[in-house]
Amino acid sequence: MKIKSISFKLGLWFSTIFLSLLLILGFILYGVFTNFFTDYIEQDLVAKGNNHAQNLEKQFTKSTINHAIQMEQGVSTKILITNNQYQIISSSIELDEDIIDHIFLDKPISTGQVIENDWKNHEYIVSVSPVGENQGYVYMYYPSSIIKEIIFVMSLLSFISSLGIMLVAFGLIGILSRVFTKPLLTMKEATLKMAEGKYKQKVPIHGRDEIAQLGNSIQTLGEQLQYYEESRNDFLAAVSHEIRTPLTYIKGYSDVLSKGIIKNREEQEEYLQIINKETNRLSFLVNDLFEMSKLQTGKFELTKEWTSINDIMEKIISNLKPVAEKKGLELWGELEEDLPLLYVDIRRMEQVFYNLIENGIKYTNIGGISVRSFSKRDLIGIEIKDTGIGIPQNNLPRIWERFYRVDSSRTRKTGGSGLGLYVVKQIIESHGGTITVKSTENEGSIFTIFLTIDQENKSRRNR
């Protein structure tokens, strides 16, 4: 069966690591304890043998030998005493072939030492200590069975302790894995709801670690998706309105003209002007949509050439001046002479200035719009200032976003898709420039553009 629970996988993974480490630690402790215990027994055995040998060296008689044998009665260790010819004088241990084999030494010794410590394969650990100058030998024996029993008991206790530790650890791992995976499951539920279209989700995860950051990112993503969804819906509603209104005018007046139900030539001219105006309105809307599409798909390309920025602005001012005058507004330019040429996409720059100046005309009822060009160090600046209704301060940071409109009601009055300023900003930034805005409600707005003059531009000055 395929395991799907991440908490189970995490718990299994941690448990495997913990169990492996516990086994490794157990083997290490087993080796350390065994070596330490057997070393202690060997040293104790040699010390006892040396002690008996020193006593026998003073008086190597039957009474002292019997005394040594009696001292080892009722204790774990056993003793065997031989002369210098390895003949057994006395012993507290039952003799067998293994014991007899250990009596004969390969070479004489001058100090006590262990001659057998393989407790796993032999019945005793054996040490030998010489008595005086070649008087005899004292053999000490420690039963291997005692070592095995002690190590078995210690291993059993270790196993039981380890089992208890494992059970507690597995319980803690299970709890911790659930604690660790709970935020992930919460984020999973949030993303599933987002997939259903419920973008704005609250992800209750606190802290500053990576999981908390991921939760905050998902929550922020949901808020952004919700915003774009609402903006898209508003945009579609606005575009539908923007398209429906001119189409209604065009269809209505074209029907009147096609049926010939007009009173005079002046009325015909009026209808044709309305159709032309609404056609232009549709054309601007479609152009904004087309530009946005190219920006989104990465197909936005610039066709640059050397030109005077003043020439572009004079053309736009000339084209829009009648529109401003029709509304009772002034439109004028204050253009600094002898500015260096710029390497720009002329059509795109016309689109920028046309959009900004037309916006100024749309949202200005009294006063006018001024267009100023100037040089500032290695920059050429263009300032478009109006005396219109202005933009609220809390809306200023968002006017460059796609589909964003400051006020839907005023947009319906003036028209607009919420794409113009987004496209303007993209065009300016694609030329390496910047655009900023300052605005005060009921006083007007100032849009300022800065474009860089490079060394080649400077060399073209006054050409």
Side-chain angles (χ1 to χ4, degrees), residues 24-185:
I24 293 171
L25 181 62
F27 282 120
I28 293 173
L29 291 177
Y30 175 82
V32 170
F33 172 76
T34 302
N35 290 334
F36 177 80
F37 184 59
T38 53
D39 285 346
Y40 171 78
I41 290 174
E42 290 174 7
Q43 293 173 13
D44 184 64
L45 207 61
V46 170
K48 283 185 176 183
N50 288 339
N51 186 47
H52 287 304
Q54 289 174 4
N55 290 331
L56 291 171
E57 181 181 0
K58 297 175 184 177
Q59 192 175 6
F60 195 57
T61 63
K62 187 174 182 178
S63 62
T64 55
I65 291 173
N66 289 335
H67 178 71
I69 298 297
Q70 288 175 0
M71 288 181 64
E72 298 300 328
Q73 297 291 332
V75 295
S76 301
T77 54
K78 306 297 179 181
I79 187 171
L80 184 148
I81 302 172
T82 69
N83 58 21
N84 58 358
Q85 299 299 318
Y86 305 111
Q87 294 173 343
I88 298 173
I89 299 174
S90 184
S91 172
S92 66
I93 187 171
E94 295 183 6
L95 301 179
D96 58 23
E97 186 177 349
D98 188 42
I99 291 175
I100 295 172
D101 288 341
H102 281 100
I103 293 175
F104 301 98
L105 303 176
D106 294 335
K107 58 182 179 179
I109 59 173
S110 58
T111 184
Q113 63 184 51
V114 175
I115 58 175
E116 181 60 71
N117 60 1
D118 185 6
W119 56 272
K120 294 180 181 179
N121 299 312
H122 292 271
E123 293 185 10
Y124 297 96
I125 292 179
V126 184
S127 72
V128 60
S129 300
V131 179
E133 293 292 336
N134 200 26
Q135 291 178 271
Y137 299 95
V138 175
Y139 292 85
M140 298 298 299
Y141 298 86
Y142 191 90
S144 298
S145 59
I146 297 177
I147 299 175
K148 292 176 182 178
E149 288 176 5
I150 293 174
I151 291 177
F152 173 76
V153 171
M154 291 300 299
S155 299
L156 184 61
L157 291 175
S158 298
F159 174 76
I160 294 172
S161 300
S162 299
L163 188 61
I165 293 171
M166 285 169 56
L167 292 175
V168 173
F170 289 163
L172 290 174
I173 288 171
I175 294 171
L176 289 175
S177 63
R178 286 183 178 275
V179 170
F180 289 150
T181 56
K182 185 178 179 181
L184 299 177
L185 294 175

Side-chain angles (χ1 to χ4, degrees), residues 432-448:
T434 60
I435 180 168
T436 58
V437 60
K438 295 180 180 179
S439 186
T440 304
E441 284 191 89
N442 302 318
E443 292 185 13
S445 303
I446 304 174
F447 287 85
T448 306

Side-chain angles (χ1 to χ4, degrees), residues 20 57 89 144 164 169 173 195 213 258 263 295 305 324 394 427 435:
S20 300
E57 181 181 0
I89 299 174
S144 298
I173 288 171
Q213 291 174 7
S258 65
K263 296 179 181 179
L295 285 168
E305 54 185 291
N394 60 321
I427 292 174
I435 180 168

Side-chain angles (χ1 to χ4, degrees), residues 303-421:
T303 304
K304 293 184 178 182
E305 54 185 291
W306 293 103
T307 189
S308 167
I309 203 72
N310 285 348
D311 291 344
I312 296 175
M313 288 189 291
E314 285 174 354
K315 176 182 176 181
I316 302 302
I317 292 171
S318 176
N319 289 342
L320 290 178
K321 196 160 191 169
V323 180
E325 290 175 348
K326 187 175 180 179
K327 198 174 176 182
L329 303 173
E330 290 187 71
L331 173 60
W332 72 96
E334 300 175 4
L335 309 180
E336 181 178 314
E337 295 183 0
D338 206 23
L339 290 176
L341 301 179
L342 291 177
Y343 193 58
V344 296
D345 186 318
I346 296 176
R347 187 175 67 84
R348 302 289 185 189
M349 280 298 166
E350 288 178 353
Q351 183 181 356
V352 167
F353 298 128
Y354 195 102
N355 195 308
L356 293 175
I357 296 172
E358 188 185 41
N359 277 351
I361 296 172
K362 279 183 183 179
Y363 299 111
T364 301
N365 298 318
I366 300 174
I369 299 93
S370 65
V371 181
R372 185 169 72 94
S373 66
F374 57 93
S375 59
K376 185 177 181 180
R377 293 189 295 274
D378 291 335
L379 301 171
I380 288 181
I382 304 97
E383 179 186 275
I384 299 170
K385 180 179 180 181
D386 65 60
T387 57
I389 61 177
I391 304 170
Q393 291 299 311
N394 60 321
N395 294 114
L396 283 176
R398 300 184 61 186
I399 63 172
W400 311 108
E401 297 177 11
R402 288 178 301 160
F403 313 139
Y404 185 76
R405 294 171 298 160
V406 174
D407 186 345
S408 297
S409 60
R410 89 173 181 178
T411 301
R412 281 193 292 269
K413 294 177 183 178
T414 59
S417 61
L419 289 173
L421 291 180

Side-chain angles (χ1 to χ4, degrees), residues 181-243:
T181 56
K182 185 178 179 181
L184 299 177
L185 294 175
T186 302
M187 287 184 277
K188 173 192 169 186
E189 293 298 324
T191 53
L192 288 176
K193 289 180 181 179
M194 289 167 63
E196 295 172 358
K198 302 173 184 177
Y199 301 117
K200 200 168 184 179
Q201 294 294 321
K202 180 68 176 176
V203 183
I205 298 174
H206 306 286
R208 297 183 179 180
D209 57 15
E210 291 81 357
I211 293 179
Q213 291 174 7
L214 177 60
N216 292 331
S217 298
I218 290 175
Q219 186 169 309
T220 303
L221 174 63
E223 292 171 355
Q224 291 177 343
L225 288 173
Q226 183 67 36
Y227 164 71
Y228 282 121
E229 177 70 10
E230 293 171 355
S231 299
R232 184 180 68 88
N233 292 335
D234 290 343
F235 168 73
L236 291 175
V239 169
S240 298
H241 174 78
E242 289 295 313
I243 292 176

